[in-house]
Amino acid sequence: MTDLPSSAKIVIIGGGIVGCSTALHLGRMGQTDVILLERGRLTSGSTWHAAGLVGQLRTSANITRLLGYSVDLYDRLEAETGQATGWKRNGGLRLACRPERMIEVKRQATTARSFGLDMHVISPKEAQDLWPLMQVDDVVGAAFLPTDGQASPSDISAALAKGARMAGVTIREGVAVTGIAVENGRVVAVETDQGRIACEKVVICAGQWARAVGRMAGVNVPLVSIQHQYVITERIAGVTPTLPTLRDPDRLTYWKEEVGGLVMGGYEPNPKLWDVDPPPSPFEFQLLQPDFDHFEPIMELALGRVPALAEAGIKQMINGPESFTPDGNFILGEAPEVKNVFVGAGFNAFGIASGGGAGMALAEWVATGAPPFDLWTVDIRRFGRNHHDLDWLRTRTMEAYGRHYTMAWPSEEPEAGRPLRRSPLYDRLQQAGACFGEKLGWERPNWFADRAAGEEPVDRYSFERPNWFAAVAREHKAAREGAVLFDQTSFAKFELVGRDAEAALTWICANDVAKPAGRIVYTQMLNARGGIEADVTVTRLASDRYLIVTGTGFATHDFHWIASNIPDGLDARLVDVTSAQAVLVLMGPLARAILETLTRDDISNAAFPFGRAKRLSVAGCPVLALRVTYVGELGWELHVPVEFAATLYDALHFAGGPYGLANAGYRAIETLRLEKGYRAWGAEIGPDHSPLVAGLGGFVKLKTAIPFLGRAALEAQAAAPLPRLLAGFSADPSVTLLGRETIYRDGERVGWLAGGGFGHTVGRALGYGYVRRPEGVDRDFVLSGRYELDVAGERVPAEAFLEPPYDPTGIRIRA
């Protein structure tokens, strides 16, 4: 049937596994005025040639949860639909062939336990017992996850599609989308080669065509197509249907059983683009020409693991283009450019593993306007201005593909496509020994090398103390005892302007922003569930103007959140002013002494107290100075027009020379904020956590009668025992805490660390995580337990705390 309705509430574009899963879940939610359009036939794009491995563990708890949902769905899908899926839970095996990889595997096993997965660290012999065909002479150890598995991509998609039809969703094949109509920033219709469908919402699940489809609506979908190859062998003696899937990252390969033979593929360090833009359409059930010369190095590595491959007949060599993203994570959510356009695409060759859960999450997002839980790591709003250029996108995505099986080092920085966005101080900082990191395209100094002492501004990664440890300790000490200067020009900066700016922010912000001009308010912005969607400072500049400052990586997300939640009818407009202002942050006990030498304005504590903003003239530069801190010391954010930034930087260093003023970077900011107990959005706080469980209740206006977004949810949460509470943990200085270490209280698993690091002033390893208990958690419960942390499979003693370990008036925790 190709007859189309003239309207539908929701139109899904793309009939691969994610489109079919989204359709099924919308139908099961009672959303039956839904039509799925597929240009060719279902699965004919890239789903049909996927390898079909289903692994669950990721570094994010919620993405692991989402993949676990896929497994649970696939377990029951055949019974629910009557359609075979080819799904089996045969387990997943991951090898380690060098000591550093074994540390990574052990930390992955710890992460798995933190997230409730049963992952076992095993010996080479035990791994060989599970996979008898492989050689293990070079294997140091392995990890086995019994609940992983594999599926037939086409079959499982057919089952999802059948389930969607059973739930009342309409599916039409052979319908090409030719345009998407947008009016007043909102989608209104989908144009096809067979007619127009008026609609309220559009869901783009078009795989590697999603970028081209997104452009029809003015939406950017940052993905590119890369050639991905694997071979399918004839039957091999000893290959049984129960053979686990196998990942051998040191040999860049993966394996699974296929009708008595093997599928073997890999991730080349020098990938090849499918060098077309946009990809051709139609391109149904088609492959690219195999490139054995390019695949040969992978084949040689594979032969060393499974010698039987040398004698096996090759049934087929697949070269199928697949969509990959610049950070290796897939893309979900509402596009920030156009209301009610949603995207589920860019699955980086693990679309089968993600399909069930991604479809569930996307369906809920479409139906309710919000995801079921925090999905920031895959949210389309994590991208920014730098993700629009195709050449840059290809360069960064090729690097991400080539790193698929390389070591996942802590704090690892991308290298491709840099530098792109630079502060006006970039050259000065580089000359001063800056080792830069990158965030949303911005070059940011992570730490400064002392070249006179032989240090090089180059990261050398480690699971223990990396090469920048001593440099960060120096910067940390300077901030605590003298003064430091941070370049934080990359901060995202917005102005909300208009007659009703106060009314708009009063609704959006959890704290009270109805303050006189010159006041700064630290506040969260909450969702309807009371979860923290943004963590910002709001400065009132005038009766009709506010400055909002947030983290670099949250620029797109936070702008979209604020703009989307301004109540209808109010005179309030949000403007991005990030590029207009540089930000120099002067911090430390000697900060006032330095700044006083450069300004005639009174900056004494009496005249310029904490939480105030003033316009100053500093060394001839017009500066908006904000007295705030994220490191726990006296200091100011100095916002200055970009053309004055170099002058201000030079003047501060000249004046600060006698006081020992030092440059400092973002890694010192991290160690300083951990000691002071300051939260970071995307780590300790986010959409799943309310201010109450995060220990931020004092920044919420619950004691007033003022309505605000999320208030009802907070009031309900406050009336019952809290399900979890954020706590800090300190451990012996020899311990390396990176995040995701399992928290044990009196021997019982109660959570995991959201992040970790080292406190150079207190001399302890520090981390923060939520202590969880179904019956409820309070202060006494947290502080009364005996704690241990699982660090790479070893339990180490830890002390819990709720007050920050460092305060300028005294250190609460010492080594």
Side-chain angles (χ1 to χ4, degrees):
M1 294 175 63
T2 57
D3 55 308
L4 297 180
S6 60
S7 67
K9 183 175 182 181
I10 301 167
V11 176
I12 301 170
I13 303 172
I17 189 169
V18 178
C20 291
S21 179
T22 304
L24 175 139
H25 287 93
L26 282 170
R28 290 184 173 181
M29 294 175 69
Q31 300 282 333
T32 56
D33 190 10
V34 177
I35 184 167
L36 183 153
L37 305 177
E38 165 56 45
R39 176 163 192 153
R41 287 172 286 167
L42 297 182
T43 78
S44 63
S46 59
T47 294
W48 72 276
H49 62 69
L53 283 71
V54 177
Q56 299 168 80
L57 181 61
R58 295 295 184 271
T59 55
S60 158
N62 280 348
I63 301 304
T64 298
R65 177 180 174 186
L66 185 148
L67 298 178
Y69 177 91
S70 290
V71 167
D72 291 341
L73 174 65
Y74 300 164
D75 275 343
R76 62 180 192 271
L77 190 60
E78 184 171 339
E80 291 175 352
T81 64
Q83 170 70 46
T85 61
W87 163 248
K88 57 184 176 182
R89 282 204 197 201
N90 48 341
L93 191 60
R94 179 176 288 267
L95 304 182
C97 300
R98 48 193 172 116
E100 297 90 345
R101 182 73 74 179
M102 194 63 207
I103 295 172
E104 181 187 57
V105 164
K106 287 179 177 178
R107 284 190 171 271
Q108 288 171 335
T110 291
T111 298
R113 285 189 287 272
S114 291
F115 300 165
L117 292 176
D118 187 24
M119 192 174 194
H120 308 284
V121 176
I122 59 178
S123 70
K125 177 63 169 60
E126 291 170 314
Q128 191 176 42
D129 290 342
L130 289 167
W131 230 88
L133 282 79
M134 70 174 172
Q135 298 282 357
V136 294
D137 294 349
D138 63 334
V139 176
V140 177
F144 181 61
L145 192 54
T147 54
D148 280 356
Q150 65 185 69
S152 165
S154 294
D155 289 341
I156 210 156
S157 300
L160 291 166
K162 184 175 180 181
R165 290 188 179 102
M166 291 167 63
V169 171
T170 301
I171 295 177
R172 291 288 184 266
E173 298 175 280
V175 180
V177 172
T178 57
I180 298 174
V182 175
E183 295 178 4
N184 299 318
R186 180 187 298 266
V187 68
V188 295
V190 170
E191 306 282 356
T192 80
D193 60 354
Q194 297 171 36
R196 175 185 174 101
I197 305 175
C199 62
E200 297 178 14
K201 300 177 182 182
V202 168
V203 190
I204 301 172
C205 298
Q208 55 206 325
W209 290 269
R211 188 168 177 271
V213 174
R215 282 201 298 263
M216 295 177 183
V219 166
N220 184 46
V221 183
L223 53 80
V224 296
S225 297
I226 295 180
Q227 300 181 37
H228 186 70
Q229 299 193 103
Y230 62 85
V231 296
I232 306 172
T233 75
E234 302 285 357
R235 289 183 177 273
I236 298 175
V239 174
T240 63
T242 59
L243 198 68
T245 61
L246 175 66
R247 292 168 179 84
D248 187 359
D250 288 311
R251 290 180 180 265
L252 308 178
T253 52
Y254 61 80
W255 306 74
K256 75 161 189 172
E257 180 271 339
E258 179 90 356
V259 197
L262 292 171
V263 167
M264 184 280 292
Y267 289 86
E268 308 92 332
N270 57 335
K272 294 182 67 174
L273 288 165
W274 188 23
D275 195 8
V276 292
D277 180 57
S281 186
F283 188 82
E284 300 170 33
F285 297 113
Q286 288 179 250
L287 297 170
L288 305 181
Q289 189 67 29
D291 187 347
F292 187 79
D293 288 343
H294 193 247
F295 192 70
E296 187 174 14
I298 293 290
M299 181 66 81
E300 290 176 356
L301 290 168
L303 287 168
R305 178 66 64 222
V306 183
L309 186 63
E311 306 301 325
I314 301 298
K315 184 186 300 183
Q316 189 176 10
M317 185 172 184
I318 302 289
N319 184 1
E322 300 204 32
S323 59
F324 288 81
T325 65
D327 63 3
N329 291 318
F330 56 86
I331 301 171
L332 282 187
E334 185 177 13
E337 300 95 338
V338 179
K339 188 167 181 58
N340 289 339
V341 173
F342 296 82
V343 178
F347 281 85
N348 303 279
F350 61 98
I352 308 308
S354 311
M360 173 274 294
L362 189 54
E364 183 157 337
W365 214 326
V366 172
T368 69
F373 38 74
D374 179 9
L375 292 171
W376 169 241
T377 55
V378 299
D379 193 318
I380 192 171
R381 294 170 295 177
R382 72 188 187 273
F383 299 118
R385 297 177 184 177
N386 53 309
H387 295 96
H388 285 255
D389 181 75
L390 180 60
D391 291 330
W392 186 92
L393 196 61
R394 286 176 163 183
T395 298
R396 179 58 64 82
T397 303
M398 294 272 279
E399 180 187 56
Y401 181 104
R403 287 183 172 187
H404 189 88
Y405 276 153
T406 60
M407 295 288 297
W409 295 109
S411 303
E412 187 174 18
E413 293 282 354
E415 297 176 2
R418 296 177 55 187
L420 183 64
R421 303 175 77 180
R422 285 180 274 188
S423 144
L425 305 173
Y426 177 82
D427 292 339
R428 282 169 165 76
L429 299 172
Q430 189 176 49
Q431 190 173 10
C435 183
F436 290 94
E438 183 262 355
K439 180 78 72 172
L440 214 66
W442 282 97
E443 293 294 317
R444 312 192 311 172
N446 277 337
W447 60 281
F448 287 82
D450 183 351
R451 289 197 178 99
E455 289 181 348
E456 293 181 282
V458 176
D459 285 340
R460 294 184 177 88
Y461 302 111
S462 172
F463 285 107
E464 302 301 329
R465 290 185 175 178
N467 70 309
W468 61 80
F469 187 85
V472 171
R474 286 196 306 269
E475 297 168 22
H476 184 112
K477 180 179 173 68
R480 290 280 184 249
E481 298 178 4
V484 294
L485 193 61
F486 302 104
D487 178 13
Q488 295 192 269
T489 298
S490 65
F491 272 156
K493 302 170 284 285
F494 317 134
E495 286 191 6
L496 189 72
V497 296
R499 181 182 63 253
D500 300 319
E502 178 185 304
L505 278 182
T506 294
W507 169 251
I508 298 169
C509 295
N511 207 345
D512 186 2
V513 298
K515 305 293 184 183
R519 295 293 180 92
I520 305 168
V521 176
Y522 168 59
T523 183
Q524 288 76 48
M525 297 174 174
L526 310 182
N527 56 39
R529 302 190 306 271
I532 300 170
E533 288 288 347
D535 184 62
V536 303
T537 58
V538 174
T539 302
R540 189 156 203 172
L541 302 178
S543 62
D544 61 350
R545 185 177 299 266
Y546 285 86
L547 172 68
I548 302 165
V549 180
T550 187
T552 306
F554 314 135
T556 306
H557 174 278
D558 288 6
F559 189 94
H560 179 253
W561 181 263
I562 297 166
S564 299
N565 284 286
I566 296 172
D568 292 340
L570 294 189
D571 176 29
R573 300 170 303 285
L574 192 64
V575 181
D576 189 334
V577 297
T578 299
S579 297
Q581 301 285 320
V583 181
L584 290 175
V585 180
L586 179 66
M587 290 285 154
L590 301 182
R592 180 179 287 112
I594 295 169
L595 194 58
E596 281 177 332
T597 67
L598 298 173
T599 183
R600 293 178 179 273
D601 295 293
D602 186 354
I603 60 169
S604 66
N605 190 62
F608 199 159
F610 186 80
R612 301 293 176 89
K614 282 191 173 185
R615 296 195 182 275
L616 309 177
S617 179
V618 181
C621 303
V623 170
L624 175 65
L626 276 58
R627 185 152 170 220
V628 292
T629 185
Y630 192 55
V631 301
E633 301 294 342
L634 169 70
W636 286 267
E637 278 180 22
L638 305 174
H639 293 241
V640 61
V642 290
E643 67 269 27
F644 291 94
T647 298
L648 181 60
Y649 175 87
D650 292 344
L652 286 167
H653 271 289
F654 181 80
Y659 297 92
L661 178 67
N663 285 307
Y666 274 82
R667 288 183 179 147
I669 293 174
E670 180 68 8
T671 65
L672 291 159
R673 74 101 184 166
L674 286 173
E675 282 189 337
K676 196 63 180 72
Y678 293 135
R679 281 64 164 151
W681 197 89
E684 295 88 13
I685 56 176
D688 290 345
H689 306 302
S690 75
L692 303 184
V693 300
L696 297 172
F699 298 99
V700 179
K701 56 194 177 203
L702 280 177
K703 292 182 180 179
T704 74
I706 302 170
F708 61 90
L709 180 59
R711 177 172 188 130
L714 288 193
E715 289 175 334
Q717 191 175 68
L722 295 176
R724 60 192 176 280
L725 198 60
L726 183 67
F729 297 88
S730 71
D732 187 88
S734 64
V735 175
T736 301
L737 299 180
L738 302 173
R740 299 182 301 280
E741 292 85 358
T742 316
I743 304 167
Y744 289 92
R745 180 186 182 276
D746 295 339
E748 179 184 356
R749 179 169 59 89
V750 293
W752 61 88
L753 296 187
F758 193 81
H760 292 281
T761 306
V762 301
R764 298 278 286 177
L766 300 175
Y768 292 85
Y770 286 90
V771 175
R772 303 158 190 263
R773 186 172 69 150
E775 310 92 277
V777 176
D778 59 17
R779 183 183 183 89
D780 290 342
F781 178 82
V782 170
L783 297 179
S784 63
R786 181 182 62 84
Y787 288 92
E788 294 174 304
L789 301 174
D790 182 331
V791 181
E794 296 184 15
R795 293 197 190 184
V796 301
E799 298 175 11
F801 58 85
L802 292 175
E803 300 297 327
Y806 169 82
D807 187 277
T809 61
I811 299 173
R812 297 189 175 95
I813 295 175
R814 287 190 183 274

